[in-house]
Amino acid sequence: MTERELFARVKEAGGDAYLVGGAVRDRLMGRAVHDRDYVVCGLSPEVFHALFPGARLVGRSFPVFLLEVDGQLCETAFARRERKNGSGYKGFEVCCAPDITIEEDLYRRDTTVNSMALGADGCLVDPYGGARDIKLRLVRATSEHFCEDPLRALRAARQAAQLDFSIEAATLAMMGRCAAELKDEPRERKFAELEKALGAPRPSCYFRSLLAAGLLEQEIPWLYRLIGQSQPPEYHPEGDAFEHTMLVLDRAAAMTERAEVRFAALMHDIGKGETPAETLPHHYGHEERGGALMKDISETLGLPRLWSRCARFAAVEHMRPSRMKNPAKIRDLLRALEGEPLGADGFRTVIAADGGEIPDFLLDYERFLATIKAAAKCRVPETLEGPQIGEYIRSNEIRALREALKETG
């Protein structure tokens, strides 16, 4: 069934169907539309299901159907009103009725750029100025109800990052007022916003928006503690450790689509937030401090194990390669990297984004690792036992690597 057919059949039954939300925004912006959502006005769910018996009911607190439109499974909901009667995202009383208008449904949504609809005639329904805010490149709360779902504070920051928009001052203030309830939101919901934000072209905008709204210290305190942590200006003219981290994150985002690598770049200097004031602007030992923080960060943010491992490796190891000359240490790093999900490519991305020098053994990682592996297949003297066997093989690998490094020059 096509979108046109969906609209026509709903119209024939006495209702109206609309394309809503992000799909409308993206069409207006000339962006690719990935997910399409629809709202139906003027019909009951029972009448709708009779019209489309193949639609599958998936909503719990209010009726939502999955319906195939133009070859894509799309959510089709019914115009609704919401009334806050509790705390958090579950604290709502939802009312669905055929007499609820599309304007009422749009009013309950988070920001104006997501509060638009397109009907069967192709006319834009934009009662709250979303099209205007797109032209202004502005994220603005649709109404005073913005604060009723505290996660909207993170969504607004994420939208700003994804769209490369600024956030209206009054909306930043509303985001700040979400702080108390936001503390109790499930970490899974928060992580979903973080993951989407890290996929943005300039993900630093997300964290800067949280800072501007007064939420960064509460939500990601380890990042907040980087603010004001001075660095040697000859190496870091961009400013403190927070500014450096934001710069590195955006550089990494320009180099890779891998979310776990972008997160590793975000965490690479996280240990600098724990540097004692008396040692500033130097951050001796920040690598080990950063690695030690990752357990707490992972548990608090609900990180996937993949992200946590990548971030810890980057935090602990990112400074070492440029200083390495000893073939034994180089061999150990290459072997360690072999088993890390960050991978050589991800590790190189973090180092490059950090402005570091990438040595030959990392630039040509695959060749040097192959040299080590070939050397590991050596014949082991029969007189050796237990740990002696591993030591013999490691020594052989180091000798082979030393010769390969000499050939490279």
Side-chain angles (χ1 to χ4, degrees), residues 150-189:
L151 198 75
R152 287 175 174 173
L154 304 186
R155 284 182 185 153
R158 184 254 298 171
Q159 288 172 22
Q162 289 178 320
L163 301 173
D164 198 20
F165 283 11
S166 59
I167 303 178
E168 179 218 25
T171 302
L172 280 172
M174 288 184 184
M175 291 166 63
R177 293 201 293 274
C178 293
E181 282 194 59
L182 190 57
K183 286 182 181 179
D184 299 323
E185 285 296 285
R187 64 181 189 175
E188 293 80 11
R189 296 188 83 214

Side-chain angles (χ1 to χ4, degrees), residues 18-23 35-39 74-76:
Y18 299 89
L19 179 70
V20 296
D35 298 317
R36 290 184 291 172
D37 296 324
Y38 297 92
V39 163
C74 303
E75 288 191 358
T76 302

Side-chain angles (χ1 to χ4, degrees), residues 15 118 142 156 179 220 273 320 346 380 402:
L118 281 173
T142 300
I220 315 179
R320 295 181 61 211
V380 178
R402 182 181 291 112

Side-chain angles (χ1 to χ4, degrees), residues 308-387:
S308 184
R309 282 191 61 182
C310 288
R312 187 184 186 285
F313 189 87
V316 173
E317 304 290 351
H318 72 279
M319 296 285 289
R320 295 181 61 211
S322 63
R323 301 193 294 248
M324 278 187 178
K325 305 297 180 186
N326 187 321
K329 291 184 177 180
I330 293 173
R331 176 267 174 199
D332 292 345
L333 178 65
L334 295 180
R335 277 297 196 184
L337 189 55
E338 179 187 14
E340 288 294 328
L342 182 62
D345 183 63
F347 193 39
R348 288 192 294 257
T349 295
V350 173
I351 294 172
D354 191 33
E357 180 183 348
I358 303 177
D360 289 338
F361 62 80
L362 275 183
L363 286 173
D364 205 357
Y365 165 81
E366 288 77 12
R367 180 171 70 86
F368 284 108
L369 183 63
T371 297
I372 291 172
K373 287 184 172 182
K377 296 178 181 178
C378 61
R379 183 176 179 181
V380 178
E382 296 179 0
T383 55
L384 299 182
E385 298 179 346

Side-chain angles (χ1 to χ4, degrees), residues 33-34 41 68-69 122 174 181 185 196 265 287 375 387:
V33 175
H34 298 291
C41 299
E68 187 172 310
V69 181
M174 288 184 184
E181 282 194 59
E185 285 296 285
K196 291 173 184 176
E287 304 95 330

Side-chain angles (χ1 to χ4, degrees), residues 241-260:
F242 179 77
E243 289 300 322
H244 171 68
T245 295
M246 295 297 98
L247 177 66
V248 171
L249 172 60
D250 286 346
R251 284 176 178 169
M255 298 177 193
T256 181
E257 296 291 327
R258 292 174 60 193
E260 70 274 17

Side-chain angles (χ1 to χ4, degrees), residues 102-144:
I102 187 62
E103 289 81 7
E104 289 178 282
D105 183 89
L106 296 175
Y107 188 68
R108 67 176 179 78
R109 295 172 182 264
D110 53 5
T111 60
T112 60
V113 296
N114 285 340
S115 300
M116 298 180 287
L118 281 173
D121 56 4
C123 288
L124 180 67
V125 181
D126 182 20
Y128 310 110
R132 177 200 61 202
D133 287 339
I134 286 175
K135 290 180 180 178
L136 294 174
R137 305 187 67 80
L138 191 67
V139 173
R140 182 166 60 90
T142 300
S143 75
E144 70 277 6

